[in-house]
């Protein structure tokens, strides 16, 4: 893990940021990461294993455990699993992105998320500041394709959406801009894994989505 060490990215590269609880990481995360690199023209992706999602009431497993699992699951030369938010002392995405832009002024960042997060994106702290700072790449997720497209963020930023092949230029565009990509969808979810009782101290008690 890049513990106490910030990851490297050469000047001019486009780095996708996939923030998540990763409680635990699964093949759906791997699938959208590879798809995002290809569909959005990213040079690298950094996974930001979150100290805790501000909108989730359920406390996640210890970050060391989540990072270790994420590193087992995600092995790719252009993907780095990080605990950047713990190092920066940030929990809110807007603050994390602002800090990264200060630290890496020559790198272009793209925020990545599944369609379920676009649906509630307008509830995130300073979400319009995130839109103003970085292009956003959204990946289809089972059950959330329609609600994401009807979401408040999608409606407000309707004219800033890159359609079709233009999405490959996402990292080169000036924010606000965003793209939604359809892809063969993965049914995997951390909630489902926790429900099997194979992950986390309280996994067999937690069978419901805690968002
Ligand atoms: N199967 C999937 N398809 C598309 N996006 C996904 C998928 N699984 C996770 N994501 C996205 O990856 C990011 C991190 O997800 P997260 O760590 O919360 O996993 P999760 O499976 O959604 O967890 P939980 O079930 O606990 O809510 C989020 O932006 C989420 O939307
Ligand atoms: O900044 C916020 O207000 C905010 C609210 C909800 C979620 N997020 C971030 O969204 C990412 C996805 O969270 P999760 O729990 O769905 O994997 C993760 O990086 C969270 O920190 C951020």
């Amino acid at each position: 893990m890049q513990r106490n060490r910030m990851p490297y990215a050469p000047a001019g590269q486009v780095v996708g940021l996939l923030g998540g609880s990763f409680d635990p990481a699964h093949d759906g995360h791997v699938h959208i990461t590879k798809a995002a690199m290809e569909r959005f023209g990213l040079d690298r992706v950094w996974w930001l294993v979150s100290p805790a999602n501000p909108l989730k009431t359920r406390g996640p497993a210890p970050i060391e455990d989540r990072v270790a699992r994420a590193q087992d699951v995600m092995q790719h030369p252009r993907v780095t699993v990080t605990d950047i938010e713990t190092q920066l002392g940030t929990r809110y995405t807007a603050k994390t992105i602002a800090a990264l832009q200060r630290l890496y002024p020559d790198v272009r960042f793209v925020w990545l998320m599944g369609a379920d997060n676009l649906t509630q994106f307008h509830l995130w702290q300073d979400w319009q500041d995130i839109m103003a700072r970085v292009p956003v790449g959204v990946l289809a997720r089972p059950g959330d394709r329609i609600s994401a497209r009807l979401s408040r963020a999608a409606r407000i930023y309707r004219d800033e959406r890159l359609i079709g092949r233009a999405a490959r230029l996402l990292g080169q565009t000036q924010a606000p801009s965003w793209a939604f990509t359809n892809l063969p969808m993965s049914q995997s979810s951390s909630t489902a894994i926790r429900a099997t009782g194979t992950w986390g101290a309280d996994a067999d008690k937690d069978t419901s989505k805690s968002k």
Side-chain angles (χ1 to χ4, degrees):
M1 182 189 19
Q2 303 279 344
R3 236 181 202 306
N4 304 316
R5 195 158 75 80
M6 299 298 280
Y8 170 72
Q13 283 210 339
V14 182
V15 176
L17 302 173
L18 181 66
S21 301
F22 298 105
D23 187 25
H26 50 70
D27 57 4
H29 295 124
V30 175
H31 177 60
I32 62 168
T33 299
K34 291 180 179 170
M37 287 197 285
E38 185 193 321
R39 306 276 179 100
F40 301 142
L42 310 176
D43 295 305
R44 295 163 189 248
V45 173
W46 296 350
W47 280 15
L48 311 188
V49 181
S50 164
N53 176 328
L55 295 181
K56 285 182 176 171
T57 48
R58 175 187 176 282
I63 189 151
E64 293 78 11
D65 298 351
R66 288 181 289 130
V67 168
R69 161 75 171 229
Q71 286 177 316
D72 281 350
V73 167
M74 184 74 249
Q75 298 195 7
H76 189 284
R78 292 194 284 132
V79 183
T80 307
V81 174
T82 80
D83 64 350
I84 280 177
E85 290 187 316
T86 301
Q87 294 184 50
L88 295 172
T90 56
R91 210 157 67 97
Y92 292 96
T93 300
K95 291 204 163 55
T96 302
I97 291 172
L100 288 175
Q101 288 180 327
R102 275 195 301 276
L103 286 167
Y104 299 88
D106 300 323
V107 169
R108 302 185 75 93
F109 290 108
V110 171
W111 183 256
L112 300 173
M113 61 189 172
D116 55 314
N117 270 307
L118 184 64
T119 304
Q120 51 171 1
F121 190 42
H122 61 281
L123 302 176
W124 293 21
Q125 188 176 84
D126 297 329
W127 70 278
Q128 302 219 36
D129 180 54
I130 300 173
M131 289 299 295
R133 284 182 175 280
V134 287
V136 173
V138 183
L139 298 120
R141 187 165 194 181
D144 287 292
R145 262 199 301 198
I146 310 263
S147 56
R149 287 178 181 205
L150 297 175
S151 67
R152 190 154 159 214
R155 283 186 282 116
I156 291 176
Y157 289 95
R158 189 183 49 214
D159 295 340
E160 278 70 44
R161 182 172 160 212
L162 304 181
I163 311 278
R165 287 179 181 272
R168 282 195 70 86
L169 300 173
L170 186 64
Q172 310 297 336
T173 58
Q174 203 61 41
S177 67
W178 68 287
F180 184 103
T181 190
N182 279 310
L183 67 167
M185 286 191 283
S186 156
Q187 299 285 341
S188 301
S189 83
S190 302
T191 301
I193 295 171
R194 291 196 301 275
T196 65
T198 56
W199 169 258
D202 60 352
D204 35 17
K205 282 183 274 162
D206 177 40
T207 54
S208 64
K209 192 105 174 146
S210 52
K211 278 178 183 167

